[in-house]
Amino acid sequence: KELEAEKLQVEFEGNRVSMEKGLLEAARARDGDLEAERQQHREALEHLQQEVQSAGAQRDEALQTVRYEQRQSKELKELLRAATEGERKQQDNVKRLEDEMATLSRDRQKDM
């Protein structure tokens, strides 16, 4: 009986060790899966950070373009205003000269 009990004890211990070994292997596999998942998350995060940086650079470039275009637009508006003012003055001068010519022509007609 004692030998039988010892045999059962050894078998029980063997089964317990096998079960613990299986649990440890499962835990290692799970840890490996978790590490792979963490690595994927790190890579995805890095990719997203790069996209954010790229988007920020594109935004900065777009802002520079907008500012440049605003300056150009302001300069063109100023040039248009100056050209319009010059045209108005030219029209005023033409009208003044026409009036002077008409006056001179009338004065000449009177003198004749």
Side-chain angles (χ1 to χ4, degrees), residues 11-38:
E11 188 179 325
F12 175 78
E13 287 297 320
N15 288 339
R16 186 181 63 77
V17 167
S18 291
M19 184 179 75
E20 286 179 2
K21 183 179 176 185
L23 290 173
L24 284 174
E25 288 173 357
R28 282 189 193 121
R30 204 171 43 249
D31 288 349
D33 292 345
L34 288 174
E35 185 55 37
E37 191 175 326
R38 281 188 199 110

Side-chain angles (χ1 to χ4, degrees), residues 28-67:
R28 282 189 193 121
R30 204 171 43 249
D31 288 349
D33 292 345
L34 288 174
E35 185 55 37
E37 191 175 326
R38 281 188 199 110
Q39 183 61 32
Q40 287 175 345
H41 287 160
R42 281 191 293 270
E43 290 171 1
L45 179 60
E46 187 176 309
H47 178 72
L48 289 175
Q49 287 172 335
Q50 289 173 352
E51 285 184 2
V52 167
Q53 287 176 342
S54 176
Q58 288 175 350
R59 182 205 62 217
D60 292 345
E61 187 176 324
L63 282 173
Q64 283 182 333
T65 301
V66 165
R67 287 181 185 129

